[in-house]
Amino acid sequence: MELVFCTSNAHKLAEVAAILGNDFSFLTLSEIGFYDDIPEPYNTLEANSLTKAEQVYTQTSRDCFAEDTGLFIEALQGEPGVFSARYAGEPADSQKNMEKVLEKMKGTINRDAFFKTVITLILKGKAVQFEGRCHGKIAETKSGVQGFGYDPIFIPEGAARTFAEYSADEKNAISHRKKAFDALSDYLRSLNSKTR
Ligand code: IMP
């Protein structure tokens, strides 16, 4: 089965390649010569990941999957959520996004938050979705240099360090993305065993 991963985010590509290991391989958008802009116009991760996968499937007729992730902070009524990439405005800037979160959270006791990843897989025109969450807390300040996005201000549940202070392997063992891709792998394996 040849699947296309509908992303041009190099961090996501690296994380997903490490998470999937030998489970299955995928082609990237640049490998199939797809350079079109893929808009994310909706206000749910489910709708945006579906529209990304649908756009690639419609234009290339290739089986594919897309993932969309957001950080949901309880005290900010779920912000930045689906708007995580551009929370501080255009152009997308992770440092400014984190500063906006820390500013809004100043003096806030409830620091509960979670990352949520939604994957849409399209096989022969049929879409299926998978989800993964990672709960934790928003730190008071940024720490660490690993990872990307909001990692320097996110402390996973039960930990005393931010994701940006985790090694790639440590993050990939417990992350929202890992959980969502485990569900995708299980699904693909179950299809394989049915066709054997
Ligand atoms: P998108 O799925 O590319 O739309 O990602 C939305 C935003 O969430 C981007 O700003 C990313 O930097 C951020 N983001 C996505 N995944 C992670 C993660 O694993 N850690 C930290 N930030 C993330």
Side-chain angles (χ1 to χ4, degrees), residues 5 9-20 26 172:
F5 184 10
N9 180 327
H11 294 286
K12 284 188 184 177
L13 283 172
E15 277 194 10
V16 172
I19 287 168
L20 293 176
F26 56 82
N172 290 341

Side-chain angles (χ1 to χ4, degrees), residues 70-81 84 87 97-98 100-102 104-105 108 110-115 136-139 150 153-154:
L71 173 64
F72 295 80
I73 302 175
E74 205 170 278
L76 302 183
Q77 288 72 48
E79 283 185 14
S84 291
Y87 192 43
N97 290 339
M98 285 188 285
K100 180 167 177 183
V101 167
L102 292 178
K104 284 196 156 203
M105 296 282 290
T108 304
N110 176 6
R111 307 197 71 90
D112 290 352
F114 62 90
F115 279 113
K137 294 203 179 292
I138 300 300
Y150 295 88
I153 60 166
F154 184 81

Side-chain angles (χ1 to χ4, degrees), residues 69-71 113-117 132-134 150-151 154 163 176:
T69 296
L71 173 64
F114 62 90
F115 279 113
K116 174 176 161 183
T117 291
R133 291 183 188 213
C134 181
Y150 295 88
D151 282 346
F154 184 81
F163 256 160
H176 39 293

